Amino acid sequence: MLLKIKFSLQRRVHVAQGLWLLSWMAVIWGGVIFCLGVYLKTELLRRAEVMDNTEIHVVPDILMLVGLASIGTNWLASRACQDSLDPSRFPRWRVPLLVWFSVAAVLCCLLIAVFVLSYALQGSLEESLKVGLRNGIRFYKDTDVPGRCFQKETIDRLQMEFRCCGNNNFKDWFEVQWVSNRYLDFTSKDVKDRIRSNVDGRYLLDGVPFSCCNPTSPRPCMRYHLTDNHAHFNYDYQSEELNLYGLGCRQALTDYYMELMNSTGPAVLSVILVQISVLVSLRYLQTAVEAAMALEDPAGDSDGYLLEKSVKETIEDLKAQALTMLKFGQVDPDDAEGSPEAADVEKDEKDAAPTAGS
């Protein structure tokens, strides 16, 4: 037996009481994990228009799944604790507890996966935001195009909320036409010259939308002719502290979402520790109570353990059981030959042989 411990009746009672409290603590933590998953999912959906893929959604999805499963499994654990000291009621938990241990182990593995993914998906998040923001800036002017009507509002709100500008920086706006053609005077010489000077016939500006302006700057917002030192008084493009947000929105959003996901780390670790504690304690309580019932002395001493055999032997047994389950339902060729159907076929062949010879 692995990690065998001697349990008296009083110790079993104390373990059952402590495990009951621990189970309800795990239920509360499961609710917290579920709420964290819902909040993170909501924040990701709010800005889905500036994301190119949804790989990052796997983190809140697993958090919500594990949170709900944790609430259910640990509630069942609390019920099992209540029945553990009643010889007439505990036997009914023999099979359900086997399923419970499997589910609890899977939950722990999923929580560890969430903890790892919350850090490992940073590169995927950055790439998704990079492509999504690039498309958002490119479609900023398409306020009359179905499906893109609110793209301008989304980008403007995003830049003001996160105090950022462009994808990498404000210069990203120099590379796209962000002013719609419906607001351009094509009789103006300046407009014609700018369109003709561009290979793709786009109206490009060394300017940015109003949402890039930093309200804390003492200088009035300068949005146009940002690279022209002569367009503004006492202005030097190379050395001037521009009154625009200097942080790119990709970096701002990446920092925001990574902070959200990393903040779930302590909560996830806490749930992992609580869940493992419930798992181990309930296993000891189960084996100790079953041993006492096997001795037909519910008030006597009994042995509790984690595994009946060593870890290696347990793994080998599980492998054998898995292989047996995989072979279940397969037809054995030898058995098939001796089956009634095979006998009927063989009989029909024999009956047909004389007929063919004649």
Side-chain angles (χ1 to χ4, degrees):
M1 295 181 182
L2 182 64
L3 299 177
K4 184 173 68 173
I5 299 178
K6 180 72 74 173
F7 285 87
S8 63
L9 175 62
Q10 185 178 8
R11 176 175 284 188
R12 291 198 296 270
V13 171
H14 289 164
V15 171
Q17 292 173 343
L19 183 56
W20 185 85
L21 292 174
L22 196 62
S23 299
W24 280 107
M25 184 185 299
V27 169
I28 296 173
W29 272 114
V32 172
I33 288 295
F34 176 77
C35 292
L36 286 174
V38 171
Y39 179 71
L40 182 56
K41 183 76 171 181
T42 303
E43 288 297 300
L44 289 172
L45 291 176
R46 281 181 59 193
R47 299 173 183 89
E49 294 181 1
V50 295
M51 291 187 179
D52 182 57
N53 59 60
T54 57
E55 290 181 4
I56 195 65
H57 286 258
V58 69
V59 174
D61 290 343
I62 295 179
L63 282 175
M64 290 188 291
L65 174 65
V66 171
L68 290 176
S70 180
I71 292 173
T73 55
N74 288 292
W75 177 78
L76 288 176
S78 67
R79 295 296 303 274
C81 293
Q82 292 177 338
D83 296 343
S84 62
L85 302 179
D86 188 344
S88 63
R89 301 176 66 180
F90 188 73
R92 65 181 182 178
W93 287 96
R94 184 183 297 273
V95 175
L97 279 179
L98 295 177
V99 179
W100 186 94
F101 287 124
S102 301
V103 173
V106 171
L107 287 181
C108 291
C109 294
L110 287 176
L111 286 170
I112 294 173
V114 167
F115 183 76
V116 174
L117 286 174
S118 63
Y119 294 94
L121 288 178
Q122 181 174 355
S124 176
L125 175 62
E126 288 183 355
E127 185 63 26
S128 175
L129 289 171
K130 178 182 178 181
V131 178
L133 285 168
R134 184 176 61 200
N135 292 332
I137 292 173
R138 188 176 65 181
F139 301 141
Y140 180 86
K141 65 179 182 355
D142 298 338
T143 52
D144 297 330
V145 178
R148 302 175 186 170
C149 301
F150 300 100
Q151 197 72 53
K152 175 184 178 300
E153 180 183 356
T154 299
I155 295 297
D156 283 333
R157 288 183 179 276
L158 178 67
Q159 293 189 145
M160 290 187 291
E161 181 180 353
F162 287 90
R163 304 173 69 83
C164 59
C165 183
N167 193 340
N168 298 307
N169 52 57
F170 67 92
K171 294 181 182 179
D172 293 326
W173 289 103
F174 299 174
E175 302 172 1
V176 297
Q177 178 181 338
W178 53 271
V179 179
S180 176
N181 287 337
R182 66 181 296 189
Y183 302 115
L184 295 177
D185 181 8
F186 287 95
T187 62
S188 170
K189 182 178 182 302
D190 179 65
V191 173
K192 291 180 180 179
D193 291 342
R194 286 186 178 274
I195 292 177
R196 289 171 183 169
S197 64
N198 185 265
V199 176
D200 299 327
R202 294 179 297 170
Y203 181 73
L204 302 183
L205 290 171
D206 54 344
V208 296
F210 76 98
S211 53
C212 282
C213 292
N214 187 352
T216 61
S217 174
R219 184 164 187 163
C221 184
M222 295 181 300
R223 301 195 294 123
Y224 299 105
H225 307 291
L226 295 176
T227 59
D228 187 359
N229 291 335
H230 301 289
H232 308 283
F233 177 74
N234 193 21
Y235 177 74
D236 184 359
Y237 169 66
Q238 299 297 332
S239 61
E240 180 78 11
E241 183 68 26
L242 299 179
N243 55 353
L244 306 176
Y245 295 126
L247 182 65
C249 290
R250 176 168 59 92
Q251 186 62 48
L253 282 173
T254 300
D255 293 343
Y256 174 71
Y257 283 122
M258 290 308 299
E259 183 179 356
L260 274 181
M261 289 191 289
N262 293 342
S263 64
T264 64
V268 171
L269 284 177
S270 300
V271 174
I272 291 174
L273 294 176
V274 172
Q275 192 67 53
I276 291 176
S277 300
V278 172
L279 181 65
V280 172
S281 300
L282 187 56
R283 177 59 177 170
Y284 271 118
L285 182 62
Q286 177 203 16
T287 53
V289 172
E290 288 181 352
M293 294 172 62
L295 296 172
E296 298 182 354
D297 185 12
D301 295 346
S302 61
D303 293 330
Y305 52 86
L306 290 181
L307 296 176
E308 188 174 1
K309 301 178 181 179
S310 66
V311 176
K312 183 177 180 180
E313 292 174 340
T314 302
I315 293 175
E316 292 296 330
D317 289 346
L318 291 175
K319 278 184 178 180
Q321 293 176 8
L323 291 174
T324 303
M325 293 179 64
L326 289 174
K327 291 180 180 178
F328 180 76
Q330 292 183 354
V331 178
D332 190 349
D334 298 333
D335 294 341
E337 292 178 359
S339 63
E341 291 80 1
D344 293 340
V345 172
E346 184 178 355
K347 181 179 179 181
D348 293 340
E349 290 177 352
K350 289 181 178 179
D351 295 340
T355 304
S358 62

